[in-house]
């Protein structure tokens, strides 16, 4: 819980103490601690970083990858060393239990400025989004997901995922006019099936995406028609 909690800051001592020490990420428990810490930390370029790899230097930003699925973490642990082999199953169980609590039970998830492109976004969508039934807001702002990423997220939400979500944030995602068109098409479809698709949605943010003035104005009109606040 201490590693995964959204309000704690984690420092990873990844540099070996001496040449005889086993490297940090070759050991089982540190591997668990490293990945469980990345489950649900709020990540934003304007706030205090909550993850530090001291081995790289505290002045360098942490590389934030999408949280591993429980199956992927278990597979990874098979390659790591444990003082007791029985710990491997224990660690896999703890990761699964923590993931269910911190991601599937989260009301807010922020993965801003993580350097994720469409591939990383799709990894998160496939592994976690269908299980986020309590999520009220999720943000991938300032990640270069592009128009493909915008379409991926909209396609997933069309399936009825995240039914409690009130806010869609596409700020600074490099989606351009093409990606904005995907979002607009999604909102039109949602309007026909609001009982199933994001029934609580009330705000959409699409600013700083290299979109044309005409595209933005048309999108604002669409949002107003559907009773949605548009931040562009």
């Amino acid at each position: 819980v201490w590693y995964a909690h959204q309000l704690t800051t984690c420092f990873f001592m990844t540099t070996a103490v001496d040449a005889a020490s086993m490297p940090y990420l070759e050991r089982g428990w540190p591997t668990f601690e490293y990945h469980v810490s990345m489950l649900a930390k709020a990540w934003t370029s304007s706030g205090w970083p909550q993850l530090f790899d001291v081995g790289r230097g505290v002045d360098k930003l942490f590389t934030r990858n999408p949280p591993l699925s429980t199956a992927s973490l278990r597979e990874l642990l098979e390659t790591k060393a444990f003082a007791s082999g029985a710990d491997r199953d224990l660690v896999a169980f703890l990761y699964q239990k923590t993931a269910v609590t911190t991601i599937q039970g989260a009301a807010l998830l922020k993965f801003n400025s993580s350097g994720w492109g469409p591939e990383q976004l799709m990894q998160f969508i496939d592994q976690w989004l269908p299980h986020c039934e309590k999520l009220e807001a999720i943000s991938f702002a300032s990640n270069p997901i592009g128009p493909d990423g915008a379409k991926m997220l909209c396609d997933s939400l069309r399936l009825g995922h995240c039914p409690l979500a009130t806010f869609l944030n596409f700020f600074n995602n490099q989606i351009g006019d093409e990606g904005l068109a995907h979002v607009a098409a999604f909102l039109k479809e949602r309007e026909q099936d609001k009982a199933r698709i994001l029934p609580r949605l009330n705000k959409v943010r699409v600013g700083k995406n290299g979109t044309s003035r005409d595209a933005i104005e048309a999108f604002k009109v669409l949002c107003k028609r559907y009773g949605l606040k548009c931040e562009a």
Side-chain angles (χ1 to χ4, degrees), residues 4-194:
H5 198 285
Q6 290 184 327
L7 298 181
T8 59
T9 298
C10 297
F11 292 83
F12 304 107
M13 314 302 289
T14 56
T15 301
V17 176
D18 53 56
S21 299
M22 181 175 291
Y24 180 89
L25 288 177
E26 289 185 15
R27 291 179 282 150
W29 277 99
T31 296
F32 161 74
E33 295 158 1
Y34 188 85
H35 287 283
V36 81
S37 299
M38 285 191 274
L39 284 173
K41 290 274 193 282
W43 198 254
T44 171
S45 59
S46 60
W48 175 267
Q50 291 178 285
L51 298 170
F52 288 94
D53 184 340
V54 178
R56 297 184 66 227
V58 294
D59 59 329
K60 295 182 179 179
L61 291 178
F62 190 88
T63 300
R64 176 73 177 275
N65 294 314
L68 290 180
S69 68
T70 54
S72 296
L73 192 280
R74 179 177 286 276
E75 183 178 342
L76 180 62
L77 291 176
E78 292 296 327
T79 67
K80 306 303 176 182
F82 287 89
S84 170
D87 284 356
R88 186 172 283 106
D89 287 339
L90 172 61
V91 166
F93 168 76
L94 289 174
Y95 184 85
Q96 180 177 8
K97 186 176 181 179
T98 307
V100 168
T101 303
T102 56
I103 292 187
Q104 295 179 215
L108 171 64
L109 291 173
K110 284 187 177 181
F111 299 104
N112 300 350
S113 305
S114 295
W116 294 3
E119 182 178 347
Q120 289 80 14
L121 178 65
M122 195 69 236
Q123 182 179 335
F124 180 87
I125 290 173
D126 282 347
Q127 295 176 348
W128 297 110
L129 203 63
H131 308 294
C132 295
E133 296 181 355
K134 297 182 180 181
L135 199 61
E136 297 176 14
I138 185 169
S139 178
F140 302 103
S142 298
N143 284 293
I145 65 172
D148 289 343
K151 184 177 186 301
M152 290 173 187
L153 185 55
C154 289
D155 286 346
S156 180
L157 295 173
R158 279 186 175 96
L159 300 177
H161 299 152
C162 307
L164 301 184
T166 62
F167 175 40
L168 281 181
N169 190 1
F170 290 97
F171 178 77
N172 193 24
N173 283 147
Q174 302 178 21
I175 66 174
D177 285 0
E178 181 184 350
L180 194 64
H182 289 314
V183 180
F186 165 72
L187 294 180
K188 292 176 182 177
E189 184 174 333
R190 170 191 172 269
E191 188 66 16
Q192 305 303 314
D193 196 4
K194 284 197 290 188

